[in-house]
Each structure stands twice: as C-alpha cells, then as structure tokens.
Amino acid sequence: MNTTDSLTVADLASRAYAQLEADGEARGDEMFEQQREEFLAFARGKARSVLGEEAAARLDWRYPGTFDLPTGVEQATASLGEGRSEYLQYRVTDVDEVTFALVQPCGTCGRNQIDGVRDLAHLGGLLEAAADLAKIAKGGADRG
C-alpha cells in the first residue's frame, strides 16, 4: 500500500490544486522576469540614444513593477549617483507614449519636478539649474 491509498478524493484534489497554484506562481515569476528584462533593455537603449554610450553604461536601471503605477504605465528608474536624490525615469504608457526624464524630488513640498531630457548636455543644464536654485533657496547665491 502506498501513501496515496489512504488519501481521500478531497485530499488528492487539495494536493492537485496546490500544485497547480505553485506551477502558476512559477510561470508568473518567469513571465515577470522576462518582461522586466525586456523593459530594462528598452530603457538602456533609450539611455544610449539620448545620453550616449559612456553615460548610459554607468546607469543601473531598476524595474519596480507596475503595482504603484497607474493602469497601463510601466517605468524603470536609474540613480544619477550615490547620495543624489535625482533620478532618470523611462516611462511607457499603454498608448505608446514614451518619456525619458529627469525626476527631482522636492523635500520641501513633496512634489517631483519632472523634465524631459534631450541629451547629455541638456541633463547637465537641468542639474546645474537645480543646484543654482538650491543655493538661492539657502541664501548662498552671489548677489554681486
């Protein structure tokens, strides 16, 4: 007599359902990972076309999933460096609207300043302007 001989039909059904659930979760995880890698490849490609190879190669893109985003929106983000609050955002909507932007969180008002990025020099200008505004806000700008 094997161990399944003492099981009821309900026990067998519960086991079969648990296996089906586990298989479904594994397939879902595989699909998520594949989707994540594909999306990150698009983000990296966009970064190369906008910022150039050298700058794009220094970015570490993250794909957090779509749980906290509006329906039909996917995005990946990349930090601009350790200790910086600004980050780059690659976002695609279900209507195929693609944006590549600098996101600058505001610690004072809690809102994000989001500016489209055209190229590496434009990104530098946006960062420089933000630094100048921060100096002014702190009262450290030259008034000469």
Side-chain angles (χ1 to χ4, degrees), residues 15-33:
R15 279 188 175 184
Y17 181 73
Q19 185 62 49
L20 178 69
E21 286 285 302
D23 291 347
E25 284 181 25
R27 277 192 304 277
D29 290 346
E30 288 173 20
M31 289 174 57
F32 175 80
E33 187 60 30

Side-chain angles (χ1 to χ4, degrees), residues 63-120:
Y63 179 78
T66 58
F67 302 113
D68 295 330
L69 298 173
T71 302
V73 174
E74 284 187 87
Q75 79 177 22
T77 59
S79 171
L80 294 180
E82 191 174 324
R84 297 195 70 118
S85 62
E86 312 95 339
Y87 58 93
L88 292 173
Q89 176 187 78
Y90 173 76
R91 185 178 260 210
V92 177
T93 68
D94 59 357
V95 293
D96 293 329
E97 179 185 333
V98 177
T99 59
F100 188 77
L102 172 66
V103 178
Q104 300 173 78
C106 178
T108 305
C109 70
R111 294 186 180 182
N112 293 337
Q113 173 70 34
I114 302 173
D115 295 292
V117 176
R118 294 187 305 267
D119 56 36
L120 189 59

Side-chain angles (χ1 to χ4, degrees), residues 26-47:
R27 277 192 304 277
D29 290 346
E30 288 173 20
M31 289 174 57
F32 175 80
E33 187 60 30
Q34 180 180 359
Q35 178 182 352
R36 180 177 97 61
E37 286 304 317
E38 288 173 1
F39 195 79
L40 288 173
F42 286 120
R44 289 181 192 108
K46 184 66 171 180

